[in-house]
Amino acid sequence: MPAQHPDKTPQNVFDIVIIGAGFAGLYMLHKARKLGLHARVFEVGEGVGGTWHWNRYPGARCDVESMQYSYQFDEDLQQEWEWSERYSGQPEILRYANHVADRFNLRDDIQFETRVESACFDEAEETWTISTDRHETVSAQFVVMATGCLSSTNAPVFPGQDEFEGDIHHTGRWPREGVDFSGKRVAVIGTGSSGIQAIPIIAEQADHLTVFQRTAQYAIPAHNRPLKAEEQATVKARYSEFRQENSLYPNGFSLRMPLNEMPALEASEDERATEYEARWAEGGFTFSWSFADLGTNLEANATAASFVRNKIHEIVEDPETAKKLSPDSVIGCKRLCLDTGYFKTFNRPDVDLVDISQQGIDRITPTGIQCGSEQHEVDILVLATGFDAMTGTLLAMDIRGRNGLSLTKQWEAGPRTYLGLGIPAFPNLFTISGPGSPSVLTNMIVSIEQHVNWISDCLEAMRAAGHQTIEASEEAADAWVAHVNEVADQTVYPSCNSWYLGANVPGKPRVFMPLLGFPPYVEKCDEVAASNYEGFVLG
Ligand code: NA7
């Protein structure tokens, strides 16, 4: 049972405790200070940056373009920072996070290398008691979970794994000092975004690479390149208008080619081919917007899927390998990956692909990986097996609301929130980009800023009205979860085993977690605030 007696010395009594020092935690701290709140951030890592602190694997790169994947809350900040590439790599994004922390003097209120183990609501005092792995217990009126959507790794343990004599690294917990692959035989398990980004680079460095693929993935060329000075200047000349326009797109970011309003099924075969070719040449998520019905009509979707399969067969020289790399599922159902040399890598003589979709991995042996009768000799094993997304980190803490109700119990059938911001029976606790909000389906920094602004405005409104507590009602949360699922059910998203549904983690309830559609969501949040926080109970 977590400690119930907080240290009430003034330095350990906070107005607000923020958990996590990624982009959400940094901005929340900045806003909390602006409100004059006594704030403390706890962060497990030894530095800021959240997901960009941990995902240091080779090739880690954002799939939203640099000029958009950054904060907009400070005009000077967005004017002075220079991005070097169309899509930023992890080191540059981490430098940016550090720049923000320094520029706004945020580090003074961040306690690094500290894991929050529990947060319990004290009903008599109407405060939260927060305990950490440093055996300290503090109290705060408000708790903000800035814990990130992709922060708990999904790291399957294969039979025999303990006996493996080489090193094992998960892409989401990459060693700070890097990994030397030279002269090594390397295995990568997992071909989602992380695997697809890391594989071409590991192949260049290693002696031999074997890729273990459970599900083939669609990937569109990224066409990453240096960002021209004129391109940056054009955006910066009207940065706030650019941001405003982007917030009106369903994912909160614009693409280089607008949505084609025509349904794929109304276009001729030639028209479809021309459209797909043009978007393939442009690169990035623009491809998903080729036709209006790709996300809602399976037959339309199949035309895009078939185009990408043909491309894979053009790129990959060995027809058998090309076939194995060609997905047969709905395109865009799992998050689309961006390709920088991924498919081409399989033309290398020192790269093998092992299809484990049927027989799986039998065991890890001291010197390799056994699949059926075949043993693959390996010196280093890379797990690119993804994350326990959106709920993993929250449920790993012992969070208790009213009557000692645990979050694990509250969410046993899947996450239940109102707006992805509040949880019934957990007063004064906010989740930034929580399940039920657009979060991972958007430009994350845009969604983070929208949530932090909403929370800050809420705290200010509560102070003005003399309220001590705010809590999502059960009815509002139930209706919201139903709404999130209804919206998803109108699309192709629920048709595959994606991490959006929790389907990548054995035993996790199958519930569609993010909400599709950023602009209507923002409108709803604004309406709720304007109607004196309808759906929340203020105390
Ligand atoms: P993903 O997209 O969840 O990919 C994980 C990959 O690992 C995927 O190919 C999985 O196959 C595979 N996997 C997971 N567990 C296993 C086991 N037990 N055996 C074999 N293969 C397995 O994670 P990423 O880190 O690549 O990307 C996450 C997000 O980060 C991405 O969407 C971007 O938003 C950034 P499966 O498809 O489940 O069959």
Side-chain angles (χ1 to χ4, degrees):
M1 194 63 196
Q4 292 296 312
H5 302 292
D7 179 348
K8 291 282 185 157
T9 49
Q11 70 269 26
N12 286 325
V13 177
F14 297 97
D15 297 316
I16 187 166
V17 158
I18 300 159
I19 306 178
F23 282 114
L26 291 178
Y27 183 43
M28 189 69 241
L29 173 59
H30 178 66
K31 287 291 276 188
R33 281 180 175 175
K34 292 243 171 219
L35 291 176
L37 300 177
H38 183 208
R40 166 59 47 95
V41 179
F42 292 113
E43 164 59 51
V44 178
E46 72 272 28
V48 300
T51 201
W52 300 106
H53 172 85
W54 298 105
N55 283 267
R56 294 165 191 259
Y57 62 84
R61 190 174 292 286
C62 189
D63 52 12
V64 173
E65 296 198 28
S66 313
M67 293 307 289
Q68 302 192 51
Y69 192 79
S70 54
Y71 287 122
Q72 56 189 293
F73 69 84
D74 186 283
E75 181 60 20
D76 291 343
L77 171 67
Q78 68 180 4
Q79 288 295 334
E80 76 201 7
W81 184 264
E82 302 275 322
W83 295 104
S84 66
E85 292 176 275
R86 177 179 177 183
Y87 297 99
S88 302
Q90 174 273 335
E92 191 166 14
I93 301 175
L94 190 57
R95 274 202 299 282
Y96 173 72
N98 276 286
H99 169 75
V100 172
D102 292 335
R103 194 182 190 289
F104 297 98
N105 291 318
L106 298 175
R107 290 176 208 279
D108 299 349
D109 290 324
I110 306 175
Q111 186 173 318
F112 293 103
E113 296 182 75
T114 305
R115 181 180 294 279
V116 169
E117 291 186 328
S118 68
C120 300
F121 186 66
D122 179 330
E123 293 195 58
E125 301 267 329
E126 294 187 327
T127 56
W128 284 89
T129 300
I130 298 105
S131 304
T132 76
D133 62 354
R134 292 190 176 202
H135 309 295
E136 65 203 328
T137 303
V138 304
S139 69
Q141 186 183 355
F142 296 100
V143 172
V144 176
M145 296 293 174
T147 40
C149 294
L150 299 169
S151 41
S152 276
T153 57
N154 171 41
V157 179
F158 298 96
Q161 194 163 316
D162 285 355
E163 291 151 38
F164 184 61
E165 287 165 4
D167 291 332
I168 302 179
H169 302 289
H170 192 288
T171 45
R173 288 288 176 277
W174 205 252
R176 235 190 144 133
E177 63 283 6
V179 177
D180 183 5
F181 291 110
S182 51
K184 304 285 189 199
R185 295 162 303 178
V186 181
V188 174
I189 301 177
T191 52
S193 266
S194 304
I196 284 179
Q197 290 184 335
I199 283 164
I201 296 172
I202 297 176
E204 278 167 18
Q205 297 171 1
D207 192 46
H208 187 271
L209 172 65
T210 312
V211 176
F212 293 82
Q213 173 192 273
R214 186 165 74 177
T215 309
Q217 254 286 16
Y218 293 101
I220 306 297
H223 295 312
N224 187 35
R225 55 171 172 74
L227 205 54
K228 294 185 201 104
E230 314 87 83
E231 279 178 281
Q232 298 214 46
T234 309
V235 170
K236 285 183 176 179
R238 51 186 300 279
Y239 223 151
S240 51
E241 289 99 313
F242 178 68
R243 302 279 198 186
Q244 174 55 30
E245 288 158 13
N246 294 344
S247 72
L248 303 176
Y249 286 87
N251 304 96
F253 60 96
S254 63
L255 295 160
R256 285 177 184 259
M257 293 171 76
L259 169 71
N260 180 355
E261 305 275 354
M262 184 191 251
L265 298 181
E266 282 176 22
S268 70
E269 214 163 294
D270 280 355
E271 281 170 327
R272 282 200 294 262
T274 307
E275 191 70 22
Y276 290 140
E277 279 294 352
R279 288 170 187 263
W280 184 268
E282 187 59 59
F285 290 138
T286 284
F287 188 83
S288 316
W289 296 33
S290 301
F291 292 100
D293 49 355
L294 297 185
T296 50
N297 183 311
L298 291 174
E299 209 186 319
N301 186 287
T303 65
S306 156
F307 176 88
V308 178
R309 279 195 294 270
N310 288 340
K311 284 287 179 196
I312 297 171
H313 278 269
E314 279 170 28
I315 300 167
V316 179
E317 288 155 10
D318 173 44
E320 263 314 296
T321 307
K323 200 168 157 207
K324 283 187 206 163
L325 286 167
S326 298
D328 56 10
S329 51
V330 169
I331 186 167
C333 176
K334 288 188 180 193
R335 190 183 177 104
L336 208 54
C337 299
L338 300 196
D339 172 10
T340 301
Y342 173 66
F343 291 121
K344 219 170 67 185
T345 295
F346 293 92
N347 294 335
R348 295 176 67 112
D350 50 3
V351 174
D352 290 330
L353 178 67
V354 179
D355 177 0
I356 53 166
S357 59
Q358 302 303 316
Q359 89 285 10
I361 287 172
D362 287 312
R363 63 182 295 108
I364 310 283
T365 68
T367 58
I369 298 179
Q370 180 125 24
C371 297
S373 57
E374 278 191 44
Q375 157 83 8
H376 305 269
E377 294 296 323
V378 165
D379 304 308
I380 300 177
L381 172 53
V382 174
L383 296 175
T385 45
F387 300 90
D388 183 351
M390 305 198 75
T391 56
T393 307
L394 293 169
L395 293 173
M397 285 178 265
D398 187 3
I399 305 176
R400 288 173 190 264
R402 289 197 190 279
N403 297 317
L405 177 69
S406 71
L407 188 61
T408 320
K409 179 81 190 148
Q410 176 69 311
W411 283 5
E412 66 185 347
R416 277 174 73 227
T417 72
Y418 179 40
L419 305 176
L421 278 161
I423 306 167
F426 292 75
N428 290 358
L429 180 143
F430 296 100
T431 46
I432 298 182
S433 52
S437 71
S439 60
V440 291
L441 295 173
T442 65
N443 176 351
M444 281 301 295
I445 300 193
V446 166
S447 277
I448 283 168
E449 284 189 291
Q450 186 256 336
H451 265 192
V452 172
N453 290 337
W454 190 93
I455 294 167
S456 313
D457 291 348
C458 173
L459 298 181
E460 211 172 0
M462 284 176 70
R463 184 158 63 187
H467 293 301
Q468 286 302 309
T469 58
I470 181 164
E471 179 181 349
S473 75
E474 295 281 351
E475 303 73 49
D478 285 343
W480 189 252
V481 173
H483 171 67
V484 171
N485 282 281
E486 261 162 37
V487 175
D489 286 344
Q490 290 160 22
T491 71
V492 298
Y493 276 103
S495 67
C496 68
N497 291 330
S498 69
W499 57 259
Y500 297 135
L501 280 159
N504 62 327
V505 176
K508 192 164 171 174
R510 194 182 171 98
V511 174
F512 196 78
M513 294 183 283
L515 171 70
L516 282 146
F518 184 68
Y521 172 77
V522 175
E523 219 170 278
K524 172 73 183 172
C525 289
D526 292 347
E527 274 168 30
V528 168
S531 62
N532 197 25
Y533 297 93
E534 193 191 357
F536 288 93
V537 179
L538 290 155

